[in-house]
Amino acid sequence: MHLAGVHPAASDDPGAWLWALGAIALYALISYGLEYRARSRRGSRHPARDALHDLKDREDPQPPLQRFTSRMIMLGGGAVTGLVAFATSGPARVVAAGLTGVAAVAVWAYYDHRTEGVPARDR
């Protein structure tokens, strides 16, 4: 008899969860930085507060094609980071996978920032 168990590919390793949470936090940080820069260039009196408000209150959802492209960038970045981690070993693995992950998240956040419309209150 076979009892339900954890699939070998599923991970309870806290390191894997930390990498995933780190990627999400990095995405939020990069998105905030891009919003802050855009707000300050538009002459906002409070760019930090406005940028934070924009992050928590996305007014317009992405159109389906942009959402699909965003998710493909996210998945492609994850796949490339995984391949880099698989192809390297030792201390080089952490450095190479970390740099690749940071680059992938930066590209993903930048794409989302560039395809987002101008907020209604700035028009």
Side-chain angles (χ1 to χ4, degrees), residues 19 80-82 84-86 88 91-103:
W19 278 92
V80 169
T81 303
V84 166
F86 179 74
T88 57
R93 173 180 286 169
V94 174
V95 173
L99 290 175
T100 305
V102 167

